[in-house]
Amino acid sequence: MRGIRTKTAALIASLGVPQVAFAADIGDPQGSGVILGAVNWLQGTLLGTVATVVAVIAVAAVGFMMLTGRVNWRHGAVVILGCFIVFGAASIVAGIRAAATGG
């Protein structure tokens, strides 16, 4: 029984020790320029003026429907949270990458 306690204490103590995650920065592979161009175009489309206008219309419509009692408040909150995630995706990914690389 004492051995199990010692192993459990050692496991708990090791969880508190920060581990360093190393990410390999190898760059883009040769010939990926076309794919990167397409992905950058998609990102610009999804986060550009059109997406902003659609998000404003969606939030306004859902907000009006919530005020008139046609939509559950939880569903309205999900739409608003989705807009925050879509438009904050770059910041979220930058934070995750900074945490993963240790700085």
Side-chain angles (χ1 to χ4, degrees):
M1 187 68 170
R2 188 166 191 251
I4 294 173
R5 288 184 195 166
T6 306
K7 289 180 182 178
T8 305
L11 177 65
I12 292 172
S14 69
L15 292 176
V17 177
Q19 302 293 325
V20 178
F22 295 104
D25 187 18
I26 57 174
D28 298 326
Q30 186 176 1
S32 65
V34 176
I35 296 172
L36 288 175
V39 172
N40 284 332
W41 173 83
L42 183 63
Q43 179 185 6
T45 302
L46 291 176
L47 298 177
T49 306
V50 174
T52 305
V53 171
V54 170
V56 168
I57 292 171
V59 170
V62 169
F64 181 72
M65 289 171 46
M66 285 181 354
L67 288 175
T68 58
R70 295 182 182 151
V71 172
N72 186 357
W73 283 87
R74 180 178 293 171
H75 290 69
V78 167
V79 170
I80 295 169
L81 181 66
C83 290
F84 278 113
I85 291 174
V86 167
F87 291 111
S91 299
I92 294 169
V93 171
I96 292 171
R97 289 183 76 182
T101 59

